[in-house]
């Protein structure tokens, strides 16, 4: 799995405007950036269920060592 160039997509978990209707952005992330990287907050987000499931099964590889809250 490799990160996709997401120059046109930006997800800010602190942007309350997204919370009003997050589904269009989430769909774009799933379709266009299944492994999303946010440079500003330095985090990766898996956006497809199967990838999240696989990562949760490989907990030694995929870590939330810095915590799950940004």
């Amino acid at each position: 799995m490799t990160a996709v160039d997401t120059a046109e997509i930006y997800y800010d978990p602190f942007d309350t405007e997204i919370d009003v209707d997050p589904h269009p952005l989430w769909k774009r992330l799933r379709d266009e950036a299944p492994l999303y990287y946010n440079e500003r907050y330095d985090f990766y987000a898996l956006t497809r269920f199967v990838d999240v499931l696989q990562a949760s099964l490989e907990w030694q590889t995929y870590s939330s060592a810095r915590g799950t809250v940004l």
Side-chain angles (χ1 to χ4, degrees):
M1 188 177 335
T2 59
V4 174
D5 178 16
T6 57
E8 295 182 22
I9 302 174
Y10 183 70
Y11 172 59
D12 181 342
F14 300 110
D15 182 355
T16 57
E17 290 293 316
I18 292 171
D19 295 336
V20 173
D21 186 13
H23 302 286
L25 176 61
W26 292 348
K27 180 175 180 359
R28 281 197 68 199
L29 286 168
R30 285 191 308 274
D31 293 346
E32 301 173 36
L35 177 59
Y36 174 78
Y37 178 67
N38 181 298
E39 287 185 35
R40 179 177 180 188
Y41 297 112
D42 190 30
F43 74 89
Y44 285 91
L46 296 172
T47 62
R48 293 182 181 164
F49 175 82
V50 68
D51 297 327
V52 173
L53 177 61
Q54 189 62 38
S56 70
L57 297 174
E58 295 181 43
W59 56 269
Q60 300 93 335
T61 302
Y62 301 99
S63 171
S64 292
R66 294 191 292 173
T68 58
V69 179
L70 295 175

